[in-house]
Amino acid sequence: MAAHAYCNILTASRENSQASQLLAKESSYFHTKTYVEMFKRKLTALDYHNPGGFDCTDETQYRNCIVWLEDQKIRHYKIEERGNLRNIPSSDWPKAFHQYLQDLNCPFGGEQQPEAVDWLLGLAVRYEYGDNVDKYKNCKPLAAPTNSDKAVDPLLNLDGDSPDFKAGVTALANILKIQRHDDYLVMLKAIRILIQERLSPEAITKASNNREGIPVALDKHVLGFDTGDAVLNEAAQILRLLHIEELRELQTKINEAIVAVQAIIADPKTDHRLGKVGR
């Protein structure tokens, strides 16, 4: 794929007339794919009776799992205070569950089922570890994977023709305002690049530390050439100033490197036995 295609994918955005359908597909995708393995791992760690068969979309299983987590692992309420939460068939159960999440300071609401379950599972795992620190602190770490176990590119193992995969990628692209593309793997690569460059912790920290600039009068800076178009001349002046700023930052880093090297080589050690000064 040409470089300009990636640029278009990352920067272009447009309104989607089928937003509601995409959101429905997104919900189905995350329910059936994204959270299944995550739930299974955490439920297995918590010794849940059926970690592999848990289905978050089954309302009965969903409510039973919440009650089990509170009774066995979290234990936020006193036993006599768990009546409303244990009354699974009640039509008022969603209200009781919503109050339960508020009491735990959960950032998700009862209508966000997979997110709420995942958060509660994480809380339960933390409590389980806290109750059995001596048991888990002696666990041996998993062996490091060999070169043969490392995948060259995880995207190569994805089924690009899967309806769930296409629905999930489309939903993510819609959320991140990334332009649609006929090749869903290309869209996924664009999503990965965007997340790495703009949504990673380092990128967010860097963006939050922006310095306030000083207004610059462009008419006081000589461009050195004339394009014949006033707008193009102004754009060229801006690009030149930005380039000068980048050169200044580069020069600062070069100076810092020179100082660091000089600090090392300017500290000779004297060997009196050899009658020499220097290394």
Side-chain angles (χ1 to χ4, degrees):
M1 173 62 65
H4 64 83
Y6 280 110
C7 182
N8 290 337
I9 293 172
L10 289 172
T11 58
S13 63
R14 61 187 178 88
E15 293 296 328
N16 196 323
S17 61
Q18 298 178 340
S20 60
Q21 295 181 12
L22 289 177
L23 290 176
K25 290 181 179 180
E26 174 197 7
S27 176
S28 175
Y29 176 77
F30 283 119
H31 277 306
T32 57
K33 293 296 181 183
T34 305
Y35 287 100
V36 169
E37 288 301 320
M38 189 184 305
F39 290 162
K40 182 179 179 180
R41 291 194 301 269
K42 293 179 180 179
L43 288 172
T44 300
L46 294 170
D47 294 326
Y48 190 66
H49 62 278
N50 185 24
F54 175 67
D55 182 5
C56 185
T57 61
D58 187 309
E59 191 67 20
T60 302
Q61 288 192 43
Y62 171 68
R63 296 185 180 187
N64 276 314
C65 182
I66 300 300
V67 174
W68 182 86
L69 287 173
E70 168 59 19
D71 284 342
Q72 302 296 326
K73 304 298 177 181
I74 299 176
R75 300 188 291 274
H76 180 74
Y77 287 160
K78 296 179 180 179
I79 295 178
E80 60 271 18
E81 296 174 346
R82 302 174 189 170
N84 292 334
L85 199 62
R86 287 176 171 175
N87 190 9
I88 293 175
S90 173
S91 58
D92 292 332
W93 190 90
K95 181 178 179 181
F97 179 52
H98 181 73
Q99 183 61 48
Y100 177 62
L101 294 177
Q102 287 187 333
D103 293 340
L104 289 173
N105 294 320
C106 176
F108 303 106
E111 68 281 356
Q112 298 170 289
Q113 288 190 356
E115 292 86 355
V117 171
D118 182 57
W119 189 89
L120 290 173
L121 287 173
L123 181 65
V125 169
R126 181 158 61 88
Y127 286 163
E128 178 73 10
Y129 176 80
D131 293 340
N132 301 278
V133 174
D134 293 335
K135 173 183 176 182
Y136 294 111
K137 71 179 182 180
N138 296 322
C139 292
K140 295 181 180 180
L142 296 176
T146 61
N147 293 332
S148 60
D149 296 332
K150 297 179 181 179
V152 177
D153 188 345
L155 297 182
L156 296 177
N157 298 324
L158 293 175
D159 182 6
D161 295 326
S162 170
D164 287 334
F165 170 77
K166 293 180 179 180
V169 171
T170 302
L172 285 174
N174 184 54
I175 293 172
L176 297 174
K177 304 299 183 182
I178 293 177
Q179 185 174 350
R180 293 283 298 275
H181 192 276
D182 293 337
D183 191 333
Y184 288 87
L185 285 176
V186 171
M187 289 176 61
L188 184 59
K189 290 179 180 178
I191 291 170
R192 181 174 65 177
I193 294 173
L194 177 62
I195 291 174
Q196 288 176 341
E197 294 185 353
R198 298 187 182 180
L199 302 180
S200 65
E202 295 80 6
I204 293 174
T205 302
K206 183 178 180 181
S208 62
N209 294 332
N210 286 338
R211 296 170 296 177
E212 293 186 3
I214 301 175
V216 177
L218 294 178
D219 56 350
K220 295 183 179 180
H221 294 269
V222 180
L223 180 59
F225 61 89
D226 186 7
T227 64
D229 188 310
V231 176
L232 289 179
N233 286 343
E234 183 175 333
Q237 286 178 308
I238 294 173
L239 290 175
R240 170 165 287 188
L241 291 174
L242 291 174
H243 180 59
I244 293 174
E245 178 65 19
E246 291 179 350
L247 290 177
R248 286 175 178 172
E249 292 182 1
L250 177 61
Q251 184 63 53
T252 299
K253 293 179 180 179
I254 292 174
N255 293 340
E256 292 174 352
I258 292 174
V259 171
V261 172
Q262 288 177 340
I264 297 174
I265 64 177
D267 184 21
K269 297 184 181 296
T270 302
D271 191 340
H272 298 284
R273 295 173 302 174
L274 299 177
K276 293 182 178 180
V277 177
R279 297 183 183 276

